[in-house]
Amino acid sequence: MADEEFLPVVTFGNLMSEGTALSRRGQHEKALGCFNDALNLRAGDKHCLITRSKCFLKLGDTENSLKDAEASLQIDKTFPEGLYQKAETLYTMGDFEFALVFYHRGRRLRPDLHKFQLGINKAEEAIVNCIGNPSSVKLETKEELCFVSRQAEKKKDSQKQQNKPTKEQKQTKKQNPKTERQLLGDLYADKAYLENLLKDEDLMQSSTRKGIKVMDLILAGISYLDRRRDFWQQQKPIYARLYERKLLRQGRRQDKKQKPSDIARSIAKNIEDIELLLARGSAEESCRKAERMLQKVQAWGEDEVPNKNELIGILHNCIGNAQLAMGQMEAALHSHEMDLDCARQNALLDAVSRALDNIGHVYARMGRFQQAISTWEEKIPLAQSSLEKAWLFHEIGRCYLELDKAETAQDYGQKSLQSADEEGDVEWQLHATVLVAQAQVKLKDYKSAIMNFERALEKAKLVPSEAAQNGIIA
């Protein structure tokens, strides 16, 4: 009994830390055991589910990796790490279009995380390599965030076919032979061979040594080739088709030389290219391309581009972001103010919120902290989620800290922490806790500051972030 008193206490945090350390050393099987034990202590913890999902993915178990990623999103539909991990898993599974959907949704929620932009880049490249250059458009985040991947749907369909073998299974989807040959290439001869085998009734009744019916194997092969054919035939990805239908519903008139839908797709593609150039570090080229595009849009009429004013604002925003990256502060401020004027004139609340956010960032970078505070405080009523409020309160608090108004900085740090707690976002809980602790140091409330730094250190272990841990310890 005396020995039992000295047994180490196993906590959720200890298991997470040990599992993360093992995973970094490549010992993924052992790490998996730690994450399983951690989930037994705290069932459904979304951060643990994501770390276990990453572990499954490194082990090549994409099915369980996807399950954990989707489980984290069932707990919190706007969980950025869950969106990213699901996108990464879908990409690994070859579901490039679905992966692209989740990369886009993640970027909309957290545009400050560049990994979503990099994910968009690689997913688009994969789609281009498969089916040619797709039309790029902006995605809406209103749809359900957790839906079954295409591969999972295929798996279910395959199981249904095996459970209910009927005459209909023998009928393959008819296509123009010339078109099918172009789509399948060398595989067309294989499909024709398998279809001929279906005519051999004796062979269809036979089974392999393992008891699998030959007919089921042949049907599965034909079904796979049909799916490949259909995939290659999709010259337009999911998101492009949805956008075209949206344009038709809005009843936009067609131009004699070029259809409005073609113009809209061209503009969307150019804006995507502008954003990609900036994400890849080519700020000057991004700025030049945006300025050229702005001149073109301004020259077009409302009948050609019905959302002309909205596009002008978006392009001013792109130019301002590029100028900020190049260190051209005054120019960036002017561009974002143009975006704000355009948004207010056309009553575009989302664009107003975006412009206020960017103007605040420029003011903060210029050291004009009071103006940054005033701008961001104007944005607070427009914040649409607790997560957005968390980083907004944090930025305002950081400015007050720079102005040596530690007490107000502490208040905004507490507000940021409260919003982060509502959202359940560990990363912003970490930032807010550090801000509160730093404000308490300036207020000479060292005891409270130490307690908050210790709390921040625990959060840093959960994220996990070695840089944050080292900074807090220092």
Side-chain angles (χ1 to χ4, degrees), residues 139-408:
L139 294 165
E140 298 293 334
T141 58
K142 295 178 182 177
E143 296 177 5
E144 180 60 43
L145 287 171
C146 287
F147 55 84
V148 183
S149 76
R150 185 185 304 166
Q151 288 195 357
E153 288 173 353
K154 291 174 186 175
K155 189 174 180 181
K156 288 183 181 178
D157 291 340
S158 177
Q159 289 172 349
K160 288 179 182 177
Q161 288 178 355
Q162 290 177 5
N163 293 335
K164 296 182 180 180
T166 63
K167 292 181 180 179
E168 293 177 359
Q169 287 179 307
K170 298 181 182 180
Q171 297 176 358
T172 57
K173 194 173 180 181
K174 293 184 179 180
Q175 284 262 345
N176 185 313
K178 184 178 179 181
T179 303
E180 193 168 42
R181 187 179 288 107
Q182 289 176 343
L183 292 168
L184 289 175
D186 294 338
L187 295 175
Y188 179 77
D190 297 329
K191 185 170 185 283
Y193 175 73
L194 291 174
E195 287 174 339
N196 284 330
L197 288 179
L198 286 174
K199 299 174 183 177
D200 190 335
E201 294 183 4
D202 292 335
L203 180 63
M204 292 304 98
Q205 297 301 318
S206 63
S207 301
T208 66
R209 292 180 181 178
K210 294 184 178 180
I212 303 171
K213 287 187 177 181
V214 173
M215 183 184 73
D216 291 341
L217 290 172
I218 292 173
L219 286 173
I222 293 173
S223 176
Y224 170 79
L225 292 172
D226 283 341
R227 290 198 300 271
R228 287 295 89 193
R229 175 201 63 206
D230 294 341
F231 176 74
W232 289 102
Q233 196 172 23
Q234 290 178 3
Q235 294 300 320
K236 294 175 184 175
I238 293 168
Y239 53 86
R241 293 197 297 272
L242 288 172
Y243 190 69
E244 284 186 354
R245 285 202 292 271
K246 182 180 177 182
L247 293 180
L248 290 173
R249 283 198 302 270
Q250 291 174 346
R252 296 182 175 175
R253 294 161 55 190
Q254 293 186 346
D255 186 78
K256 292 180 180 179
K257 295 181 180 178
Q258 191 178 16
K259 296 178 182 179
S261 59
D262 293 335
I263 294 174
R265 285 198 302 274
S266 174
I267 293 170
K269 179 65 173 66
N270 277 302
I271 290 174
E272 192 76 23
D273 289 343
I274 289 164
E275 292 175 346
L276 289 179
L277 285 168
L278 183 59
R280 290 169 179 168
S282 303
E284 290 184 19
E285 191 176 350
S286 174
C287 188
R288 284 196 298 270
K289 191 174 180 68
E291 287 171 342
R292 288 196 299 269
M293 193 67 208
L294 179 60
Q295 290 177 353
K296 286 183 181 179
V297 173
Q298 288 173 331
W300 283 332
E302 288 287 344
D303 56 335
E304 295 173 296
V305 188
N307 59 335
K308 176 179 175 179
N309 292 324
E310 184 181 356
L311 285 170
I312 288 172
I314 290 170
L315 288 166
H316 278 305
N317 170 61
C318 292
I319 293 167
N321 289 336
Q323 289 166 335
L324 182 63
M326 291 186 288
Q328 300 172 5
M329 301 302 177
E330 291 294 343
L333 184 60
H334 176 71
S335 294
H336 288 307
E337 285 174 343
M338 292 286 287
D339 180 21
L340 181 60
D341 290 341
C342 190
R344 282 175 171 163
Q345 288 170 14
N346 296 280
L348 301 169
L349 291 181
D350 287 344
V352 169
S353 180
R354 174 190 67 210
L356 289 171
D357 178 21
N358 288 323
I359 290 170
H361 278 299
V362 176
Y363 277 138
R365 285 277 297 274
M366 295 170 76
R368 294 157 67 174
F369 299 114
Q370 189 57 59
Q371 288 169 291
I373 290 168
S374 300
T375 305
W376 279 326
E377 284 179 340
E378 189 180 347
K379 174 183 163 67
I380 291 172
L382 301 175
Q384 296 180 352
S385 67
S386 296
L387 185 62
E388 190 174 3
K389 288 179 181 178
W391 64 256
L392 189 56
F393 289 142
H394 176 272
E395 295 303 297
I396 294 172
R398 179 64 57 192
C399 285
Y400 274 118
L401 196 64
E402 292 290 341
L403 292 170
D404 288 327
K405 296 182 179 180
E407 191 171 347
T408 310

Side-chain angles (χ1 to χ4, degrees), residues 99-134:
L100 185 61
V101 168
F102 285 96
Y103 285 130
H104 269 292
R105 289 178 180 178
R107 190 184 68 171
R108 278 187 171 274
L109 287 169
R110 290 294 300 275
D112 56 310
L113 296 179
H114 294 297
K115 62 184 178 182
F116 285 115
Q117 185 61 63
L118 295 175
I120 290 170
N121 296 354
K122 69 180 182 183
E124 284 183 343
E125 279 186 29
I127 293 170
V128 169
N129 289 338
C130 291
I131 60 175
N133 193 11

